[in-house]
Amino acid sequence: MTDHDAVDHSGPCGPSGAGCAGGACGPAPAAPSAPVPPGPAAGPGLGIFDKELLDRCISCGFCLPACPTYALTGEETSSPRGRITLMRALEAGDLAPDDPTLAEESSFCLGCRACETVCPAGVEYGQLLEQWRDHQWSGPSRPWIARALMALVSRPGLLRLQGLVRRHARGPGRTAAPDAPVPAPGSERPADTPERPAAPAAAPSTAGDASTATGPAAAPGRPVSLMLGCVERGLYPKVSRAVRQLCPEADVPATQGCCGALHAHNGDSRTGAELARTLGEQLPGTILTTAGGCAAHLAHHLGRDRVRELSEYLDERGHSPAGQVTVDGRRARAALQDSCHLRNGLGVTRPPRELIAEVADYVELPGAGKCCGAAGTYAMLRPADSRKVLDPKLEEVEAADVDYVVAVNPGCLRQLEQGLRRVRSRARAIHLAEFLALAERPSRGRKDAGPRES
């Protein structure tokens, strides 16, 4: 597939719209490079897309400054509005299914859903993208890397084999955590528990924050099941072990399979939904996940009340650390890289920042809420474009002079690790679970401040 060349698209929002705080300045300044229809296409259509979702777009342009790929190219077709124009043309039969622009743009999109947070019409772009790829990437048209990964995670036996080799967490949880009582719904923080240090506020999200969840996940007596991510259990087994340290009440069922997010994002949303429902049956009570993308996918199919990402679960439970993370005897400086689906899909931004600020000096990166370029399989399917999205973030990390960049999604963690290693940064990428676990054993904090070994 062809990688796009980066261009500098300047306007009132700054280069490529980067200075616009989520599109609040209004519609994008660029004139569209392709005609934009004034409204929904007439006629019944081919049935590729949900017509109500497709018709919801009013072509206002607020999404353009929020879109990472539009920032790279300045081209209308590489924006959410432009892609919806393509979807409408496909649905109406005005573009052939094998049109090269359709193939390119369905692949070039990161699927970060940042456009949803600034859309005044409430367009569910993530659902439209899944429907587009279900059609565009069906059968042999699906990229072979995506096919191979989907085949791998669809086999529970192979997933469990990773646990035997990599030693991720397993076993039943305790009835209660020893370090802090589980608060009853509506209860106050214990009087002897210090208030959390204030972390710099994240940019507001129209999706809301953890308050969008219905029902307390940390309610007494409700079982908690830790979901083992497909990628995470093999590449980062220490993450699940760290969660068991932080949340000893969490059970880790051995027979669990994949949540289906990988399938949904790569052209097989039907299997993605089936896997989510199956996992919901395998994991009783609250499903605790350490992957933002998995959390958003499961919440969509199982209901928000059943799913909690680690940071919001700890926040509800009133987690209080035993120590702090240090580097060379000083309090560490740490930044956060948001998970796009956790931030843009579920609106969770505050809890991870406050948890980091409890154990380290929190530093807000200017682009913390922007996609890092991992985007599930995107970094493997389009490595050059993925790197273009990541590079400005690496520059921000170096300018901020932080010791750690904390991730809340394994794909983001992998992306940051590789990028920081490439530029020989002294900053270390780490998952939130491992970072908070460092505060429980401060003697294991970093002692070096030099570049990481390649």
Side-chain angles (χ1 to χ4, degrees):
M1 296 180 184
T2 304
D3 292 309
H4 281 267
D5 294 326
V7 299
D8 181 25
H9 174 65
S10 299
C13 297
S16 300
C20 176
C25 60
S33 55
V36 178
L46 300 179
I48 298 170
F49 300 95
D50 182 313
K51 191 173 187 303
E52 191 277 329
L53 293 181
L54 197 60
D55 289 352
R56 198 177 296 174
C57 176
I58 59 175
S59 301
C60 66
F62 274 83
C63 57
L64 273 67
C67 178
T69 53
Y70 178 76
L72 286 178
T73 68
E75 297 176 1
E76 172 76 18
T77 52
S78 297
S79 71
R81 181 174 69 178
R83 291 184 177 115
I84 289 177
T85 300
L86 293 174
M87 294 179 200
R88 286 172 170 164
L90 174 61
E91 178 71 11
D94 295 334
L95 279 178
D98 60 352
D99 185 279
T101 304
L102 292 174
E104 169 65 8
E105 290 303 331
S106 64
S107 169
F108 187 35
C109 178
L110 288 149
C112 68
R113 297 173 62 181
C115 52
E116 293 185 18
T117 68
V118 298
C119 178
V123 173
E124 297 178 49
Y125 181 85
Q127 294 301 304
L128 289 172
L129 180 62
E130 288 186 9
Q131 293 169 12
W132 193 9
R133 288 181 175 173
D134 281 352
H135 175 79
Q136 203 75 38
W137 289 6
S138 61
S141 299
R142 183 174 299 126
W144 72 266
I145 293 178
R147 290 202 307 271
L149 290 173
M150 291 161 67
L152 171 65
V153 302
S154 296
R155 291 165 170 77
L158 292 178
L159 293 180
R160 289 195 290 272
L161 182 61
Q162 293 186 74
L164 297 176
V165 176
R166 299 290 288 158
R167 294 174 41 246
H168 59 63
R170 56 174 57 83
R174 302 178 190 173
T175 55
D179 61 334
V182 177
S187 64
E188 299 295 329
R189 178 182 290 268
D192 58 348
T193 303
E195 291 293 330
R196 291 186 174 138
S205 168
T206 57
D209 208 323
S211 58
T212 57
T214 56
R222 185 175 190 180
V224 179
S225 300
L226 175 61
M227 191 205 86
L228 297 169
C230 299
V231 173
E232 194 175 83
R233 72 179 80 185
L235 291 180
Y236 304 109
K238 292 182 181 179
V239 171
S240 58
R241 298 205 297 268
V243 174
R244 286 299 298 273
Q245 179 182 341
L246 298 167
C247 310
E249 71 275 17
D251 185 20
V252 190
T255 59
Q256 60 180 286
C258 174
C259 75
L262 180 66
H263 296 74
H265 300 158
N266 288 276
D268 190 2
S269 60
R270 176 176 296 181
T271 300
E274 292 173 354
L275 289 173
R277 289 190 290 267
T278 299
L279 186 64
E281 297 169 356
Q282 295 171 337
L283 302 181
T286 295
I287 298 177
L288 177 60
T289 173
T290 51
C294 299
H297 177 72
L298 286 173
H300 176 73
H301 291 286
L302 303 180
R304 188 66 175 96
D305 62 320
R306 284 214 57 198
V307 181
R308 289 296 187 275
E309 181 270 334
L310 176 65
S311 70
E312 58 177 345
Y313 175 80
L314 292 175
D315 179 68
E316 290 178 7
R317 196 179 133 238
H319 173 75
S320 182
Q324 56 185 338
V325 180
T326 61
V327 175
D328 291 333
R330 61 172 172 80
R331 190 172 163 94
R333 289 171 54 82
L336 174 73
Q337 168 57 41
D338 280 298
S339 156
C340 290
H341 281 219
L342 185 65
R343 179 187 182 95
N344 303 326
L346 297 183
V348 177
T349 59
R350 176 187 54 80
R353 287 168 167 80
E354 290 191 350
L355 288 166
I356 294 171
E358 286 186 340
V359 300
D361 291 339
Y362 180 76
V363 180
E364 179 74 15
L365 297 177
K370 298 178 181 178
C371 185
C372 67
T377 58
Y378 192 91
M380 291 177 279
L381 299 177
R382 303 186 66 107
D385 288 325
S386 175
R387 181 177 292 192
K388 291 173 186 175
V389 175
L390 175 64
D391 283 347
K393 195 174 297 290
L394 298 178
E395 295 174 2
E396 291 178 0
V397 170
E398 294 305 289
D401 191 30
V402 295
D403 304 298
Y404 293 94
V405 183
V406 181
V408 288
N409 195 67
C412 303
L413 177 58
R414 183 71 170 170
Q415 177 84 336
L416 291 167
E417 277 186 339
Q418 293 177 338
L420 292 172
R421 186 179 296 116
R422 172 165 51 87
V423 299
R424 297 190 61 79
S425 171
R426 76 174 188 86
R428 174 189 170 190
I430 189 171
H431 191 279
L432 177 67
E434 289 188 89
F435 186 71
L436 295 177
L438 285 177
E440 306 298 317
R441 48 183 193 278
S443 61
R444 295 191 183 183
R446 289 180 59 193
K447 296 181 179 179
D448 66 292
R452 299 187 63 203
E453 295 181 1
S454 58

